[in-house]
Amino acid sequence: MSLESLSIGVSGLRSHQTRLDTVSNNIANSSTTAFKRQRAAFSEELGQAILGVGRTAGGSAINPSKVGRGVSVASIDRNFSQGSLNDTGIKTDLALNGDGFFVASPKSGAASDQRRLTRAGNFTFNQNGELVTANGLNVQGWEVGEDGTANTGELKNVQFDPNAQSAAKATTEAQVGGNLSADAKGPPNPTSKGDISEISSVIYDDQGKAHNVVIEFEKTNTEDTWDYTVKDPDGVLVDENDTVGGTDEDGVANGTIEFKDNGSVGSIDVNEAGNFNPDGGPNNDGVSIAWRDDAVQEGKSSKSLGISLRDITQFSGSTTSKFQSQNGNSSGELSGVQFTPEGKLQLNYTNGVQEEEYQLAIGDVNNPNGLEQQGENFFTTTGASGDLQLGQAGRDLQTSVVSGALESSNVDLAKEFSDLIRAQRSYQASSQIITTADEVLNQTVQLKR
């Protein structure tokens, strides 16, 4: 005699034991960085047929009847929902706000040469300036060009030179903006001057030495017209007559700015030096002045300082004209590193220069539950997960990189303890099935007495 209830009870014990193990693992990893909770999904075992589909003599249909044979674990699914982000204050701690995974190099000595995927961003820089995981694997990404664009292609290890320096750079472009008041007055007589606004900025030569450049704006008696004069107190610029310095009244360059009725620049005339247009277009944006020969490095072609005046406006009110920017700098030492929301590694120097070296690659797959768990917070792709797709945060993926934070586990302890009690009760009930089946068998054996 065979009782199916015995095997049914055993299947219940096995399945609920797996559920207990899964819930226990969730609880144990409730403080593990970026851990994703799991659940055991059950399915009914194929039943034993008692009655098949048929019809009675009267033509009525007979419903199929089967007795189930127990339960089995259909799958162990992982919940990849976003965990909360906790501030740590450590710049190399990174968290992903959105989908995707950080990409790490294959593990040395592992049977598989697949790249490792992880959500745990507790990274550090090693002695060589390489960004590595807590297990020592290199975090990977792409090099960033001078234009700030990642050179997507072959992945490389994210790193920087701990002894990096920022080279000096001569100023070749300066931007002037702000407002020249439309209420300003021209000269009351030929021997006088109109209202004057004077602005100045620091510029740098090839050796990183700082110099001053001054622009004087004077209102003329012609409506909507201002004269400008570029002066060179330090004598490092050259006017069109090869005269060094601009301390004289005429400076190293001068001209006239005429404004439109809407307050924007209509035309810019240059009486000395050359025209300047950074985009190479047909319109003149300002004035171009040559650097003195000994202000540029030996063996290099001569450089010019282009000053853009196109963004100046003329509206009623205060005069607020100023130098908005210039592209030169002195030399500098590395002062720190940081990561941008796009995952770019940014180097900061003491001269104020910021350089972007690498951008982190963010990996994603069509079916995250198809990833194979490798332990130590790592996953690898499988045929079920789909191929690894690499992208840039904030561009290819609606994901941002948060520096100075870590993603916490998405385990809800209250729910896990509730599930633990339910699994325990289900296990207890399955064991009672076996006890009952044993008693039935014992009674059957006693029938012969």
Side-chain angles (χ1 to χ4, degrees):
M1 177 182 178
S2 172
L3 284 179
E4 289 294 337
S5 54
L6 278 174
S7 59
I8 291 173
V10 171
S11 71
L13 289 178
R14 290 175 177 171
S15 298
H16 290 294
Q17 178 62 59
T18 301
R19 186 180 183 188
L20 280 168
D21 293 342
T22 303
V23 174
S24 299
N25 186 59
N26 289 341
I27 295 174
N29 284 281
S30 60
S31 297
T32 300
T33 301
F35 176 80
K36 303 302 180 184
R37 70 176 299 271
Q38 295 175 292
R39 68 172 184 183
F42 294 168
S43 65
E44 182 185 9
E45 287 288 334
L46 181 63
Q48 177 185 6
I50 301 300
L51 293 174
V53 178
R55 290 185 179 275
T56 63
S60 299
I62 300 176
N63 294 328
S65 299
K66 291 186 178 182
V67 176
R69 291 186 173 177
V71 64
S72 64
V73 178
S75 64
I76 304 294
D77 302 320
R78 192 176 291 271
N79 182 350
F80 279 94
S81 63
Q82 177 80 47
S84 61
L85 305 185
N86 297 326
D87 292 335
T88 65
I90 302 174
K91 292 182 179 180
T92 54
D93 281 346
L94 305 178
L96 291 178
N97 188 12
D99 297 333
F101 300 84
F102 296 111
V103 181
S105 60
K107 193 169 184 179
S108 177
S112 171
D113 60 353
Q114 289 181 298
R115 292 185 174 92
R116 265 39 179 180
L117 306 178
T118 184
R119 295 275 302 187
N122 48 326
F123 304 143
T124 56
F125 285 110
N126 63 17
Q127 68 274 16
N128 298 320
E130 298 172 324
L131 186 67
V132 295
T133 68
N135 320 90
L137 301 187
N138 289 94
V139 182
Q140 298 193 312
W142 300 288
E143 287 184 310
V144 175
E146 292 184 0
D147 60 353
T149 302
N151 302 317
T152 56
E154 181 183 359
L155 289 179
K156 296 185 177 180
N157 296 335
V158 175
Q159 59 184 333
F160 75 99
D161 181 3
N163 300 314
Q165 292 184 329
S166 174
K169 179 182 177 183
T171 302
T172 57
E173 293 185 16
Q175 189 82 25
V176 176
N179 186 59
L180 293 174
S181 176
D183 305 323
K185 305 296 183 181
N189 56 67
T191 60
S192 302
K193 286 191 173 185
D195 289 346
I196 291 176
S197 172
E198 190 173 87
I199 62 175
S200 65
S201 175
V202 173
I203 59 174
Y204 297 90
D205 62 25
D206 264 1
Q207 287 73 40
K209 295 178 182 178
H211 306 279
N212 290 318
V213 62
V214 178
I215 302 180
E216 179 184 277
F217 296 99
E218 180 185 354
K219 183 67 179 70
T220 70
N221 280 324
T222 303
E223 187 177 3
D224 298 331
T225 301
W226 292 71
D227 288 336
Y228 69 87
T229 302
V230 180
K231 298 181 179 181
D232 173 27
D234 294 348
V236 293
L237 302 176
V238 181
D239 65 18
E240 65 175 4
N241 298 317
D242 294 330
T243 302
V244 175
T247 55
D248 55 39
E249 189 172 329
D250 293 335
V252 291
N254 57 67
T256 302
I257 303 176
E258 184 178 353
F259 292 92
K260 300 178 183 179
D261 291 340
N262 63 5
S264 64
V265 173
S267 64
I268 302 172
D269 293 330
V270 179
N271 297 330
E272 295 187 19
N275 296 332
F276 172 68
N277 190 322
D279 300 322
N283 295 327
N284 177 30
D285 278 0
V287 59
S288 179
I289 312 162
W291 277 95
R292 196 176 64 199
D293 288 342
D294 59 357
V296 297
Q297 292 183 16
E298 184 178 355
K300 291 192 174 183
S301 60
S302 60
K303 289 184 173 67
S304 295
L305 168 63
I307 302 176
S308 174
L309 305 172
R310 181 64 60 177
D311 290 340
I312 300 176
T313 61
Q314 182 189 248
F315 296 114
S316 177
S318 302
T319 292
T320 60
S321 57
K322 63 178 180 178
F323 276 91
Q324 294 178 324
S325 64
Q326 59 84 31
N327 66 348
N329 57 262
S330 61
S331 61
E333 303 291 331
L334 183 65
S335 61
V337 298
Q338 64 184 30
F339 286 90
T340 68
E342 294 79 27
K344 291 182 178 179
L345 173 60
Q346 191 174 77
L347 307 187
N348 300 323
Y349 296 92
T350 54
N351 58 0
V353 172
Q354 294 181 325
E355 294 180 353
E356 294 175 341
E357 294 286 310
Y358 282 86
Q359 182 167 15
L360 296 171
I362 307 300
D364 201 9
V365 293
N366 292 331
N367 176 26
N369 263 303
L371 293 171
E372 183 175 354
Q373 184 180 359
Q374 298 293 330
E376 300 178 321
N377 287 330
F378 290 126
F379 299 91
T380 55
T381 58
T382 65
S385 68
D387 294 334
L388 177 62
Q389 304 161 20
L390 300 176
Q392 302 173 55
R395 177 179 174 180
D396 306 314
L397 296 167
Q398 296 299 314
T399 301
S400 61
V401 177
V402 181
S403 178
L406 290 175
E407 182 182 4
S408 63
S409 165
N410 64 357
V411 172
D412 183 346
L413 282 176
K415 185 179 185 309
E416 297 302 328
F417 281 121
S418 175
D419 289 347
L420 189 66
I421 294 172
R422 292 172 59 191
Q424 180 188 16
R425 292 305 184 190
S426 297
Y427 186 93
Q428 185 179 20
S430 295
S431 66
Q432 189 62 43
I433 292 174
I434 297 176
T435 300
T436 302
D438 177 61
E439 291 177 354
V440 170
L441 283 175
N442 185 57
Q443 292 174 0
T444 303
V445 171
Q446 296 298 325
L447 287 176
K448 69 177 181 179
R449 296 184 180 180

